[in-house]
Amino acid sequence: MLTSREELDAELGEVARAWLDAALAEAADDAARPKTAADDAARSGAAADASRTAASPYASPSWELRYAAAGRHCGQRHADSVRSLLLVEARAPLASVTRLYDQGTAAERRAVLLTLHLLDLGDTALPLVEDALRANDTRLVAAAVGPYAADHLAPHAWRHAVLKCLFTEVPVTAVARLADRARSDTELARMLTDFAAERTAAGRPVPEDLRTALALTAPAGHPAPPTAAPAPTEES
């Protein structure tokens, strides 16, 4: 859960608040700086692939250095929220979010993923979400299935993201707008039913989260489709 600026001001000490004020001022200054044609291309996504390979740390604006230092100055508990505020204040273009993701720690990558829906990036940041969904770090998987994925992931990729949560034991409550996107999705219902059948055949319990997701695939006013077989009890 991201914390607002007002909440942070109430929780941070004086030194940390001063550091955050300076960091946000640098981000705002960068957002107001006239952009070059290359900047505009990166912001629009036209240079997305190039930015992943050609981004240089020496070209990074100063607020990006603040981004990496957020946990050290404001505490790890507030790091996600501070980093998110920096991204929003800077109106971070694709080049910046890609650079921060590619060069960042898992915590820094998570903050990028948590903030994507607050930035004006369209679907150009989908490669970052797709990368996180290939990882086995449950923190990244949970962050990757947030509102940005709900808005932009294609149906096939989104269904596999739901399954990824089940495989990695990320609670399906992390999947933004799960009920909306799952409703009447017969293909997702088939995939979940097949997964339940595989678990049952292997003598393993069917996760309750799978039953929850499967129930959501029913059309409005209809009962949930059954799983392929009843889940075995722990004693069986």
Side-chain angles (χ1 to χ4, degrees):
M1 180 71 70
L2 297 175
T3 304
S4 70
R5 174 68 189 279
E6 292 73 19
E7 292 169 317
L8 282 173
D9 282 344
E11 295 183 21
L12 294 175
E14 183 177 351
V15 173
R17 285 199 306 272
W19 182 90
L20 179 57
D21 287 342
L24 291 174
E26 290 178 10
D29 286 345
D30 185 63
R33 178 179 61 83
K35 300 299 186 289
T36 66
D39 291 329
D40 290 339
R43 185 180 292 276
S44 69
D49 292 337
S51 70
R52 291 184 68 82
T53 57
S56 165
Y58 301 106
S60 303
S62 60
W63 70 266
E64 291 188 21
L65 302 178
R66 299 271 196 174
Y67 181 94
R72 186 164 67 253
H73 290 276
C74 297
Q76 294 302 327
R77 184 164 69 91
H78 300 301
D80 281 345
S81 298
V82 170
R83 288 173 177 141
S84 181
L85 287 172
L86 284 169
L87 290 167
V88 172
E89 193 69 26
R91 299 200 299 271
L94 181 63
S96 288
V97 296
T98 299
R99 182 163 49 238
L100 292 170
Y101 183 91
D102 284 347
Q103 298 176 1
T105 64
E108 291 162 25
R109 291 183 170 200
R110 182 180 66 243
V112 167
L113 296 167
L114 290 172
T115 312
L116 289 177
H117 68 292
L118 301 175
L119 304 173
D120 185 20
L121 297 172
D123 63 0
T124 62
L126 276 175
L128 307 185
V129 172
E130 293 162 353
D131 180 82
L133 289 172
R134 289 191 292 269
N136 290 320
D137 187 326
T138 56
R139 297 169 300 172
L140 296 184
V141 173
V145 293
Y148 185 84
D151 288 339
H152 297 291
L153 268 183
H156 179 74
W158 183 81
R159 293 178 190 121
H160 280 278
V162 174
L163 283 178
K164 178 76 174 191
C165 288
L166 294 172
F167 281 125
T168 57
E169 299 183 354
V170 170
V172 293
T173 52
V175 182
R177 300 211 332 263
L178 175 62
D180 291 340
R181 290 204 59 166
R183 186 175 298 114
S184 302
D185 190 334
T186 55
E187 178 61 13
L188 177 61
R190 182 195 66 76
M191 293 168 69
L192 293 172
T193 301
D194 287 350
F195 182 39
E198 291 171 6
R199 299 275 298 192
T200 301
R204 303 177 65 189
V206 176
E208 190 59 36
D209 266 5
L210 187 150
R211 299 179 185 280
T212 298
L214 185 59
L216 294 173
T217 65
H222 289 69
T227 50
T233 64
E234 294 295 332
E235 292 78 14
S236 60

